[in-house]
Amino acid sequence: MEQQHIEQAAELFVQARRTGVRLRELPPETRPASVDDVNAIIDQVTRTLNEPIGGWKITFLYKPRQKPIIAPLFAANIFASPARVPPTITHSLLIEPEIAFRVLHDLPPRDAPYRAEEVAEALVGCPALELNDTRFDTRVRSIRQMLDNKVTVLEAHADHQTSGAYVVGEGRPDWQSFDFASMRVSMRCGTRTLVETVGGHAFSDPFLPAVVLANQLRRGEGLKQGQIVATGSFSGFFPVEADQPVAAHFEGFGSVEATFCSQ
């Protein structure tokens, strides 16, 4: 993908963020065709916005051994549980339960790869909720339609992995003693049960992508103390109502709560 098209795609996303006017689609010449294109667009948007980074989100589009997609979580969009998230942050009313990690001390840039043990010592596990959003007009295509369509899934991920806001619960220093693959997870909106599952993370253990992330970022700015590491959902996202508390419970581990505010 040519640099001018990367910059054009990024500018469209930036303007959508700043004006609130949603995109119908990207012009054909600016649509990403690979994971490298997606990461390049994300990086260009991030440079242009120049907002403080409070964490990182990592995902793998097709297979875990392929190059990951990495997007920042902006500090202004990260909240402590229980959180009330204003509509100016996210309007899509979609939410998913996750186990995230908070960085206890820097994992700075270096030449040598980080071992899993080093990364684990630098993290604390936290129950979390991701509030999904998109700069695309969901009256034309929903986030789910974009993620299910091979033609548009790259566009969706280029939009900072459809991230709106992130809510983090209290951390547990004993997180390594839990078997996340067999952990019961439930999420409710008010009295309505949205999902009940056992495990469900794409890697079974949400820590594994954190090691990949640390080793990707060691080639750049590294992971910094206090940042959040988001490695993916246990169940996918679900639509909810505004002004209704949404709570995710990870059995034996902890809970987290968020409310989409209507005003």
Side-chain angles (χ1 to χ4, degrees):
M1 191 172 181
E2 295 183 9
Q3 181 61 30
Q4 64 176 359
H5 295 148
I6 290 170
E7 293 174 0
Q8 289 169 7
E11 183 59 26
L12 289 170
F13 283 131
V14 168
Q15 290 304 313
R17 285 174 176 270
R18 289 175 171 170
T19 65
V21 178
R22 303 282 160 164
L23 302 171
R24 182 179 181 88
E25 60 185 0
L26 292 177
E29 67 276 10
T30 69
R31 292 174 190 163
S34 68
V35 167
D36 284 338
D37 292 344
V38 169
N39 282 325
I41 293 171
I42 290 172
D43 290 347
Q44 183 64 38
V45 171
T46 302
R47 284 191 294 269
T48 303
L49 292 174
N50 195 30
E51 295 183 14
I53 293 174
W56 299 91
K57 181 178 178 181
I58 182 171
T59 193
F60 297 81
L61 189 57
Y62 300 117
K63 297 178 181 178
R65 291 187 179 183
Q66 292 181 333
K67 187 173 183 178
I69 298 172
I70 296 173
L73 300 172
F74 296 118
N77 296 353
I78 298 175
F79 299 83
S81 174
R84 292 180 59 81
V85 181
T88 52
I89 299 289
T90 175
H91 79 299
S92 293
L93 301 183
L94 299 172
I95 195 166
E96 56 190 15
E98 303 189 0
I99 293 292
F101 300 91
R102 189 182 299 279
V103 182
L104 298 175
H105 62 77
D106 289 359
L107 290 174
R110 74 182 197 188
D111 293 333
Y114 280 105
R115 293 178 288 107
E117 294 83 0
E118 292 179 279
V119 178
E121 290 172 358
L123 302 179
V124 61
C126 310
L129 289 166
E130 181 172 19
L131 284 62
N132 305 93
D133 200 10
T134 178
R135 270 43 66 177
F136 289 102
D137 190 342
T138 53
R139 295 171 299 179
V140 178
R141 294 174 298 177
S142 69
I143 293 178
R144 195 175 300 280
Q145 286 172 327
M146 294 187 72
L147 295 175
D148 288 343
N149 188 318
K150 291 183 179 180
V151 176
T152 58
V153 65
L154 290 170
E155 287 182 85
H157 281 286
D159 182 21
H160 274 59
Q161 296 185 36
T162 67
S163 181
Y166 211 80
V167 177
V168 185
E170 186 175 351
R172 294 195 62 130
D174 61 344
W175 63 270
Q176 293 183 71
S177 65
F178 287 85
D179 178 8
F180 293 110
S182 62
M183 180 177 288
R184 293 186 177 276
V185 181
S186 62
M187 186 168 66
R188 294 178 172 82
C189 179
T191 60
R192 179 166 65 97
T193 298
L194 301 172
V195 64
E196 290 182 330
T197 185
V198 175
H201 190 275
F203 283 81
S204 296
D205 184 350
F207 167 66
L208 300 179
V211 179
V212 178
L213 178 66
N215 280 303
Q216 290 288 318
L217 294 184
R218 72 180 171 84
R219 301 182 178 94
E221 58 189 81
L223 279 171
K224 298 179 180 180
Q225 181 180 6
Q227 288 184 337
I228 298 300
V229 174
T231 67
S233 173
F234 274 64
S235 67
F237 55 77
F238 293 83
V240 297
E241 296 83 37
D243 301 318
Q244 291 289 318
V246 180
H249 178 67
F250 297 82
E251 189 174 62
F253 189 83
S255 300
V256 58
E257 181 181 304
T259 302
F260 290 89
C261 298
S262 60
Q263 58 184 7

